[in-house]
Amino acid sequence: MEDKLVTLAILTFSKAQILKSVLESEGIEAYIHNVNQIQPVVSSGVRVRIKESDLPKALKITESSAWLSEDVVGEKEEENQENKITQILIPIDFSDYSLKACELGFNFAYTTHAEIVLMHVYFAPIYTSPLPYGDVFDYQINDEENVRNIIQKVNEDINIFSNKIREEMAAGKLPDVKFTSLLREGIPEEEIVRYTKEERPLLVIMGTRGKNQKDIDLIGSVTAEVIDRSRTPVLVIPENASFADFNEIRRVAFITNFDQRDLISFDTFITSIKPIQSSVSVIYLADAKEKDAWDEVKLTGFKEYFQKQYPTVDIRYDLVIDDDLLNCLDGYIKQHQIDFIAVPTYKRNIFSRLFNPGIARRMVFHSDTPLLVIK
């Protein structure tokens, strides 16, 4: 059966031509419709249409902020990406839940042929006297000694942690994966986000204490800040997670709000778990107070689309409706024995992050189930 054409974007004629060229350079057939044949350059809007089967790949291209730039079709960036080693970043603080994150991270790196970067960020405060006189020199000496002591201590800690990883490898508890240790000075969330921008790792894996954390941590958690600000997918591993290897996963859940961008996130999700033989539950969290009759219709539309795009994947679909969404979701996870959750998240400003935390951020503190936050 031939794929039907769907509208990808409505643009000016000149931009539509550029997008068509970009799509075709990626092997996607594209067509421009509704063109003013007499004066095409003054068309108020034309449709760029593609085959439905090409939609996930095309959406990834259009979501990129650089799709209209000349670099998209250049060779320099492609050459750099080809020569770049695939990395998985694991921020650590030498705790038990950091070790738990390493267990899953090393197993995943072995499957994806990636290298591990263990990063620890330390903070070395320097105190200076506000007075123009007095024992300023003594303060500076003490500050230097304190900084040296801090650096010496974190170097010792990361060496101990690295040796523990090597011992786990030698004992066969962890796969033999190449890893490096990295120390950075600064604020943890700032340095982690900066590293993801510089090196573009495949994934960031972070350990947390899970649902026993206090609600007040919702504002200050390093993991939550990285989730909000990083453009790299973040995998959150609670301390009490029941598995340490992706191959042990049997049931996964993908949470959607029927946003078009969720189609991209779902494709990223399916691609990332492709080696894993597991069933997928697509869940829509609906507020009982704002129940919409269109929810069932939208879910049916997603179902039909996913059946066409991923015919070999075992997918089920559910609406979770309750006044207390997180507790209701927690009940669903237990009832259906969900091992792993994926949540799409999108860039939001500082006020919405503080006063209306997203579902991914709240779930970091609510659930003991591993959580993949897809950008």
Side-chain angles (χ1 to χ4, degrees), residues 127-145:
Y127 303 100
T128 57
S129 173
L131 302 176
Y133 52 85
D135 299 330
V136 177
F137 186 69
D138 291 338
Y139 275 108
Q140 291 176 343
I141 292 176
N142 291 333
D143 288 343
E144 291 177 2
E145 290 178 354

Side-chain angles (χ1 to χ4, degrees), residues 16-34:
Q17 284 184 311
I18 296 173
L19 179 56
K20 183 176 183 293
S21 299
V22 172
L23 293 172
E24 289 177 345
S25 70
E26 297 291 334
I28 300 174
E29 294 183 21
Y31 309 89
I32 298 178
H33 289 179
N34 296 352

Side-chain angles (χ1 to χ4, degrees), residues 35-198:
V35 180
N36 183 333
Q37 298 295 337
I38 300 175
Q39 292 180 297
V41 293
V42 298
S43 297
S44 58
V46 298
R47 296 178 183 271
V48 179
R49 309 196 75 190
I50 59 170
K51 293 180 180 179
E52 188 176 27
S53 58
D54 291 328
L55 188 58
K57 185 178 179 181
L59 283 172
K60 287 182 181 179
I61 296 172
T62 58
E63 283 292 319
S64 169
S65 60
W67 70 266
L68 282 176
S69 70
E70 294 179 358
D71 293 337
V72 173
V73 293
E75 296 181 357
K76 186 174 180 180
E77 186 175 345
E78 292 179 1
E79 291 175 358
N80 291 338
Q81 291 298 326
E82 287 178 2
N83 297 328
K84 202 168 185 180
I85 298 171
T86 302
Q87 293 182 353
I88 293 175
L89 176 65
I90 307 181
I92 58 173
D93 60 3
F94 315 122
S95 61
D96 290 339
Y97 50 88
S98 286
L99 190 59
K100 183 73 174 183
C102 286
E103 290 177 6
L104 200 144
F106 274 75
N107 284 313
F108 183 70
Y110 182 78
T111 303
T112 56
H113 308 289
E115 294 183 5
I116 295 287
V117 176
L118 301 177
M119 174 192 249
H120 177 70
V121 182
Y122 65 94
F123 180 64
I126 297 177
Y127 303 100
T128 57
S129 173
L131 302 176
Y133 52 85
D135 299 330
V136 177
F137 186 69
D138 291 338
Y139 275 108
Q140 291 176 343
I141 292 176
N142 291 333
D143 288 343
E144 291 177 2
E145 290 178 354
N146 288 336
V147 171
R148 280 198 297 269
N149 291 336
I150 290 172
I151 294 174
Q152 182 180 352
K153 180 66 167 61
V154 295
N155 272 287
E156 291 174 357
D157 288 341
I158 202 164
N159 286 333
I160 292 171
F161 194 89
S162 298
N163 290 334
K164 189 170 185 179
I165 293 293
R166 293 187 183 95
E167 290 172 3
E168 297 278 306
M169 286 184 181
K173 296 180 180 179
L174 288 178
D176 187 5
V177 173
K178 183 178 179 180
F179 74 95
T180 56
S181 301
L182 175 65
L183 283 175
R184 282 198 175 185
E185 180 185 358
I187 300 171
E189 53 268 40
E190 297 288 344
E191 294 303 318
I192 294 168
V193 171
R194 181 177 289 111
Y195 185 89
T196 61
K197 290 179 180 178
E198 293 171 355

